[in-house]
Amino acid sequence: INLWTIEQGSIPLVQGQISYDLPADTIDLLEHVVRTQSGQGQTDINVTRISVDTYATIPNKNAQGRPIQVWINRQSGADYPVTGVANPQINVWPAPEQSNYYTFVYWRLRRIQDAGSGVTTQDIPFRFLPCMVAGLAYHLSKKIPGALERTQMLKLEYEELWQQAADEDREK
């Protein structure tokens, strides 16, 4: 079942700064652009995603100009006692040549939030709720004595509801 959702975000770029933290629950970036200015005068310019190998071979990472490439360092987002949180990061190249002009705009995959105290609306796509319940029933039937004869029927129901929910996530 989808354990992620899509969310838009943005980071104002600062002159000479190369690295920027993404939110800790970021799994990956789907799309990204550099936006110049704002309002009526804004323009979105494609930014090419590069690998760590390509980024490592850039001879002058401190060169300044309009950012045209980004390396996404997909760290875990885990909290480490000594070093702190290992947030995913972006590294832009070249570094912005001015502040308050460029904004890195992205669409990210983010982890679904945990249930917490259970008194708020859950961060679960509603179309997957029947599938999730059927999947839970199927998995419990394998563990509960006397329910084994219903396991195959529950598995078929789960697979059918999974397919219906998955079909809802395709591009229309």
Side-chain angles (χ1 to χ4, degrees), residues 7-29:
E7 184 174 87
Q8 184 179 356
S10 63
I11 301 170
L13 301 182
V14 177
Q15 181 177 0
Q17 185 175 334
I18 299 166
S19 294
Y20 301 85
D21 283 346
L22 292 167
D25 60 351
T26 300
I27 297 168
D28 200 0
L29 299 188

Side-chain angles (χ1 to χ4, degrees), residues 151-167:
T151 299
Q152 190 59 33
M153 184 265 311
L154 290 169
K155 181 180 181 187
L156 291 173
E157 181 181 9
Y158 164 65
E159 289 173 347
E160 180 183 330
L161 290 170
W162 161 253
Q163 193 59 52
Q164 288 174 5
D167 286 347

Side-chain angles (χ1 to χ4, degrees), residues 8-112:
Q8 184 179 356
S10 63
I11 301 170
L13 301 182
V14 177
Q15 181 177 0
Q17 185 175 334
I18 299 166
S19 294
Y20 301 85
D21 283 346
L22 292 167
D25 60 351
T26 300
I27 297 168
D28 200 0
L29 299 188
L30 297 173
E31 293 294 333
H32 34 76
V33 297
V34 166
R35 180 168 291 159
T36 60
Q37 301 178 338
S38 62
Q40 294 290 335
Q42 81 179 25
T43 303
D44 287 352
I45 301 164
N46 247 358
V47 179
T48 304
R49 183 175 180 159
I50 59 175
S51 67
V52 65
D53 296 341
T54 303
Y55 184 76
T57 61
I58 295 173
N60 182 1
K61 293 176 184 60
N62 294 315
Q64 294 188 15
R66 179 177 55 84
I68 58 171
Q69 295 180 322
V70 63
W71 167 49
I72 302 163
N73 186 354
R74 296 177 54 202
Q75 299 188 59
S76 67
D79 191 6
Y80 295 99
V82 177
T83 59
V85 176
N87 278 35
Q89 294 181 325
I90 59 166
N91 292 282
V92 295
W93 186 86
E97 82 274 24
Q98 55 185 312
S99 293
N100 301 320
Y101 184 74
Y102 299 115
T103 303
F104 187 82
V105 179
Y106 58 87
W107 291 263
R108 70 183 182 119
L109 289 177
R110 93 165 152 78
R111 291 190 298 266
I112 288 179

